[in-house]
């Protein structure tokens, strides 16, 4: 598709970002009702708030008069208490809220906050485990031990690689590589599907693996596959001299392409026996598209055309089927990415008990894809 074919979807999403900004005066959006678009907010962003700050950076790039840079700065300030909390998941938030502001606009405060979070992640590395554990402040801290890991913890690596370059920090690089390698060894199965979580003992021995947010312990939860694809593709893009990252990204994305439904919108779990009569997850699907665009721009022996085309097709499906329209007879705000699923499991934090909703990180990744496909951001920058 041409750039112009994605512009209407980008404009709808900008309307939603503006509406969200105008209602998020003291917190950050987490998820929104698909019926009316009303957000559930968290005061400091939880693990998801950096996605909205990332939207505001990209929105400023698209329309500087409607989205002054102070919008992103103010939203980032709400996240500051999380910068040194012991959670591997903060890599996601502070990459998009902090590093992205530095990458796009040379924002010094955003850079400083992101580096603080990266140093904290570096110092969380446990040499006995060979990885960064989830940490006592992680969202699942009340249910896991000190030696728990998950594929989600790859969220640390994008921030670590960026910080290693910013600081010429060899230790940061070493931690990012070791963490990436160990987490992938534990959680990527022989068939290239992903299991979400693992429990280790203090020596690093894996005691068990399980998928606590998916259908069963042995199922493939859509977002677990998504995170694995995203961060291996990101590593392939920013560390092209390490062929292992590209190898993993190709295998993981090819598994997704081979198993996703014909309409390209993933079910919440690939192994739910109720398929096709079960929920979808547009957030995992948007993550898959963002991963494919990263891999398409990464140097490698194969061309990236296959992954670029897959991303384009996926974004088209999301935009045409799940992005709310601008219509006078539709009570919902335009530009909402509906169909997101935190999880269908009953054991979940109350704040995450949401299905068929707008998830702020799903919306971020769709908007990021649209920014790339409309040439707002050059491929390989994010």
């Amino acid at each position: 598709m041409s750039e112009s074919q994605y512009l209407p979807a980008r404009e709808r999403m900008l309307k939603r970002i503006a509406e969200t900004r105008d209602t998020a005066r003291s917190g950050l959006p987490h998820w929104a009702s698909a019926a009316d678009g009303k957000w559930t907010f968290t005061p400091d962003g939880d693990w998801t708030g950096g996605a909205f700050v990332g939207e505001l950076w990209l929105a400023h790039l698209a329309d500087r008069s409607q989205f002054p840079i102070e919008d992103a700065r103010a939203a980032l300030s709400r996240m500051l208490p999380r910068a040194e909390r012991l959670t591997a998941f903060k890599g996601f938030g502070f990459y998009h809220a902090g590093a992205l502001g530095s990458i796009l606009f040379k924002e010094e405060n955003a850079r400083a906050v992101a580096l603080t979070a990266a140093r904290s992640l570096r110092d969380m590395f446990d040499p006995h485990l060979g990885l960064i554990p989830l940490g006592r402040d992680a969202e699942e801290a009340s249910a896991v031990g000190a030696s728990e890991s998950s594929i989600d913890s790859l969220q640390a690596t994008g921030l670590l690689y960026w910080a290693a370059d910013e600081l010429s920090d060899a230790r940061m690089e070493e931690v990012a590589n070791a963490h990436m390698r160990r987490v992938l060894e534990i959680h990527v199965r022989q068939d290239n599907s992903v299991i979400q979580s693992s429990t280790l003992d203090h020596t690093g021995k894996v005691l068990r693996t399980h998928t606590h947010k998916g259908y069963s312990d042995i199922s493939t939860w859509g977002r677990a596959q998504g995170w694995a694809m995203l961060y291996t593709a990101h590593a392939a893009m920013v560390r092209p001299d390490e062929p292992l990252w590209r190898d993993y990204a190709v295998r993981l994305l090819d598994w997704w392409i081979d198993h996703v439904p014909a309409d390209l919108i993933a079910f919440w779990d690939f192994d739910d026996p109720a398929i096709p009569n079960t929920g979808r997850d547009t957030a995992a699907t948007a993550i898959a598209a963002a991963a494919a665009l990263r891999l398409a721009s990464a140097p490698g022996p194969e061309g990236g055309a296959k992954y670029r085309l897959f991303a384009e097709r996926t974004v088209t499906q999301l935009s045409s089927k799940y992005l709310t329209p601008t219509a006078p007879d539709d009570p919902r705000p335009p530009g909402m990415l509906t169909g997101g699923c935190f999880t269908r499991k009953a054991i979940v934090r109350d704040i995450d008990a949401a299905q068929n909703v707008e998830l702020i990180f799903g919306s971020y990744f769709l908007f990021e894809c649209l920014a790339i496909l409309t040439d707002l951001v050059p491929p390989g920058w994010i």
Side-chain angles (χ1 to χ4, degrees), residues 1 6 229-230 232-238 246 249 253 257 285-299 303-316 318 364-375 377-382:
M1 293 178 69
Y6 297 106
M229 294 188 299
L230 183 74
T232 54
H234 188 91
M237 184 176 69
V238 301
R246 183 180 180 87
L253 265 157
I257 292 169
T285 304
I287 291 168
L293 285 176
R294 282 165 170 75
L295 186 55
S297 67
K306 168 184 174 180
Y307 302 105
R308 170 83 181 203
L309 178 60
F310 174 74
E312 290 176 352
R313 292 173 58 223
T314 301
V315 168
T316 298
L318 287 168
Y364 168 80
F365 282 113
L366 178 58
F367 189 61
E368 179 190 280
C369 289
L370 291 167
I372 293 169
L373 294 174
T374 57
D375 294 329
V377 180
W381 268 44
I382 297 177

Side-chain angles (χ1 to χ4, degrees), residues 30 55 62 92 105 133 144 271:
H30 195 53
E55 284 191 330
F92 168 78
F105 304 112
V144 302
D271 297 304

Side-chain angles (χ1 to χ4, degrees), residues 10 24 87 179 213 265 280 290 296 322 355 375 378:
R10 193 183 89 183
T87 166
H179 179 68
K213 286 188 178 176
I265 309 300
R280 305 287 186 125
Y322 290 89
Q355 302 172 29
D375 294 329

Side-chain angles (χ1 to χ4, degrees), residues 210-238:
H210 56 109
T211 292
H212 68 280
K213 286 188 178 176
Y215 174 76
S216 73
D217 275 355
I218 61 172
S219 67
T220 301
W221 180 48
R223 204 151 72 244
Q225 193 79 20
W227 293 133
M229 294 188 299
L230 183 74
Y231 289 103
T232 54
H234 188 91
M237 184 176 69
V238 301

Side-chain angles (χ1 to χ4, degrees), residues 272-285:
D272 186 340
I275 290 172
N277 300 312
T278 191
R280 305 287 186 125
D281 186 9
T282 56
T285 304

Side-chain angles (χ1 to χ4, degrees), residues 53-84:
V53 187
E55 284 191 330
L56 290 172
W57 292 125
L58 292 174
H60 178 66
L61 202 61
D63 187 338
R64 297 189 180 213
S65 60
Q66 186 183 6
F67 298 96
I69 203 162
E70 287 76 14
D71 290 346
R73 291 170 178 165
L76 172 59
S77 70
R78 297 168 202 157
M79 293 179 57
L80 297 184
R82 297 187 60 81
E84 296 187 83

